[in-house]
Amino acid sequence: MKVCERTECSFHKWYPLFKRVTIKSVIEEIPPEVLSYLKEDGIVLPVEANSNPRIPDDIESDYTVDWMDGNDDDEEDESPSFPEFSAKLKEAIGILGGEVFIKTNWSAPTDSSWITSCKTLKCKRLEDIYLLLNSSDRLMENFLSSLKASKDEQEQSHCIILKKWMDIHPGTEFRCFVKDNVLLAITQRDCSDFYQHISEEKFEIIQDITDFFNNNIKNKFSLPNFTFDVVRQKKNKVVLLDFGVFNKKFSKSYLFTWDELLEISSAMKEGDKAEFRYIGSETGIQPSANAFESMCGLPLDVKYMTNDFSLINLIQDEITQQNQEDDV
Ligand SMILES: Nc1ncnc2c1ncn2[C@@H]1O[C@H](COP(=O)(O)OP(=O)(O)OP(=O)(O)O)[C@@H](O)[C@H]1O
């Protein structure tokens, strides 16, 4: 993969061109001092995001426990503060209707919904945004990526994207694969459930997504090979969510394998429709990747070590080897 492919899939690169067909968003560049703060371990909210300000001494009641006796003032002094950046985030929440979804150039904090007050990725306050930015391993990987990135990626500015909140039914989300500007395949994105409506409407789903691709995406995105995600809310209503790299290291292929996608590509003839895969019955459902992500936060070092998230395979190989040694 050429490195610039990942750059082209960064939200801030494609959003201006595809504004009309995606969710209204605001892009804020992360200033260097905020980036350094986000790269640090631990969760210390900036003062502007702290919704539990210290009770002033003069109204402290007899029942107030002085937990931090003597250290309070020191702690308060150490809290970071980014008034300008925080004001921009607050303004963006207002512009987008009071409820937003956040992500960085490439990833959303889907591993951290447990930390917000409403236990979803919906952010209504600065506190929710800073909690997600600080607690997500997925975002941390984005922030740290410049350490191992090529020159091209290092020159990328890190951004926080605030998107207007949209209630999305997981059974309406699809990932699409494009090679040489041809729509090859479409897969259900939430493979942890069986959705009756998908099998009932499969032909309309393929048609709507194909029309959407032909009218809005084909030959307009800057790469010939890529993935894109859509939400098909109802007939003739398709919304673009995101673009991704056509590469197994960076994008999940869900109900296809990457080898299958390449085979489909080489067998595809002009006029062929994209291949569509979905869970066809209750028995076909698969474990939810998000549930796994949020239950077991693997240390980043371990993730990097395994590179393509194949830790399970690594452990399995180790066990097999040990068993073989025991048998000898
Ligand atoms: N504006 C929005 N409002 C509410 N939920 C959203 C919004 N945008 C995306 N989502 C939800 O968040 C999920 C993750 O979003 P997105 O695909 O942008 O993240 P990602 O990190 O790029 O994912 P991946 O790494 O799998 O490509 C989506 O599947 C969708 O369910």
Side-chain angles (χ1 to χ4, degrees):
M1 185 195 70
K2 292 186 214 85
V3 172
C4 62
E5 288 182 29
R6 191 154 147 78
T7 308
E8 293 306 313
C9 296
S10 169
F11 193 96
H12 77 292
K13 275 275 192 165
W14 61 259
Y15 180 70
L17 250 183
F18 295 93
K19 235 180 183 160
R20 219 174 36 82
V21 290
T22 190
I23 302 168
K24 183 176 177 188
S25 307
V26 173
I27 302 170
E28 292 297 347
E29 201 169 313
I30 305 178
E33 67 278 13
V34 179
L35 195 60
S36 318
Y37 148 77
L38 293 174
K39 283 179 185 172
E40 278 167 21
D41 271 346
I43 301 179
V44 184
L45 295 184
V47 278
E48 322 71 89
N50 207 330
S51 61
N52 298 313
R54 190 169 168 266
I55 304 165
D57 290 345
D58 53 347
I59 60 163
E60 259 180 349
S61 79
D62 292 347
Y63 302 104
T64 310
V65 182
D66 206 358
W67 295 103
M68 311 289 282
D69 198 18
N71 295 329
D72 249 14
D73 293 340
D74 295 349
E75 288 253 323
E76 212 171 7
D77 288 342
E78 280 169 22
S79 297
S81 176
F82 312 109
E84 224 174 283
F85 181 65
S86 297
K88 284 184 184 166
L89 297 182
K90 243 182 170 166
E91 193 188 336
I93 297 177
I95 293 171
L96 297 170
E99 294 180 345
V100 299
F101 172 90
I102 64 156
K103 64 183 293 180
T104 53
N105 304 50
W106 295 284
S107 308
T110 44
D111 54 341
S112 284
S113 52
W114 54 272
I115 204 166
T116 62
S117 47
C118 54
K119 307 276 176 277
T120 70
L121 294 177
K122 188 188 279 180
C123 299
K124 296 183 182 180
R125 302 172 305 167
L126 266 184
E127 187 182 347
D128 298 326
I129 294 184
Y130 278 108
L131 279 172
L132 286 174
L133 287 175
N134 271 287
S135 60
S136 166
D137 287 351
R138 300 194 81 214
L139 300 196
M140 181 64 104
E141 279 184 58
N142 272 203
F143 299 142
L144 296 177
S145 67
S146 50
L147 295 179
K148 24 177 215 164
S150 66
K151 193 160 169 288
D152 190 48
E153 265 184 283
Q154 280 173 16
E155 281 162 9
Q156 274 307 290
S157 47
H158 284 275
C159 299
I160 166 167
I161 322 297
L162 299 98
K163 300 169 77 177
K164 189 179 174 62
W165 181 266
M166 176 176 159
D167 287 318
I168 298 176
H169 185 290
T172 62
E173 289 191 58
F174 302 93
R175 173 156 294 178
C176 313
F177 302 87
V178 177
K179 186 149 194 310
D180 301 322
N181 270 314
V182 174
L183 179 61
L184 299 181
I186 304 169
T187 165
Q188 174 179 337
R189 220 176 148 195
D190 175 19
C191 304
S192 66
D193 226 330
F194 159 66
Y195 298 104
Q196 181 82 36
H197 74 271
I198 297 187
S199 52
E200 286 168 2
E201 295 171 33
K202 64 182 171 212
F203 297 114
E204 285 100 326
I205 293 173
I206 300 170
Q207 194 58 52
D208 281 356
I209 295 179
T210 307
D211 290 346
F212 179 81
F213 171 72
N214 288 335
N215 295 334
N216 302 296
I217 311 246
K218 193 176 165 85
N219 298 322
K220 294 192 173 86
F221 189 58
S222 53
L223 301 169
N225 305 335
F226 57 94
T227 70
F228 67 97
D229 299 324
V230 292
V231 178
R232 179 191 178 265
Q233 290 167 308
K234 55 183 178 185
K235 192 157 174 34
N236 293 326
K237 178 99 183 90
V238 177
V239 177
L240 173 68
L241 267 195
D242 201 10
F243 284 101
V245 180
F246 190 92
N247 183 301
K248 70 171 169 197
K249 193 168 166 210
F250 295 106
S251 303
K252 283 188 215 148
S253 53
Y254 297 98
L255 295 173
F256 291 94
T257 66
W258 285 95
D259 285 342
E260 282 171 333
L261 289 167
L262 294 177
E263 276 165 29
I264 294 171
S265 168
S266 46
M268 198 131 195
K269 293 186 294 301
E270 194 155 347
D272 282 355
K273 283 223 179 305
E275 185 164 332
F276 182 44
R277 288 205 186 155
Y278 58 97
I279 306 283
S281 70
E282 296 282 357
T283 50
I285 63 174
Q286 300 181 1
S288 156
N290 284 351
F292 184 74
E293 265 177 5
S294 53
M295 276 190 297
C296 355
L298 290 173
L300 286 180
D301 291 348
V302 176
K303 278 189 175 176
Y304 289 151
M305 186 180 80
T306 61
N307 203 18
D308 60 353
F309 300 92
S310 55
L311 179 67
I312 301 294
N313 295 344
L314 200 79
I315 294 171
Q316 193 63 54
D317 288 349
E318 188 64 28
I319 292 171
T320 314
Q321 202 179 332
Q322 275 179 17
N323 287 345
Q324 282 167 352
E325 282 168 13
D326 288 348
D327 288 346
V328 176

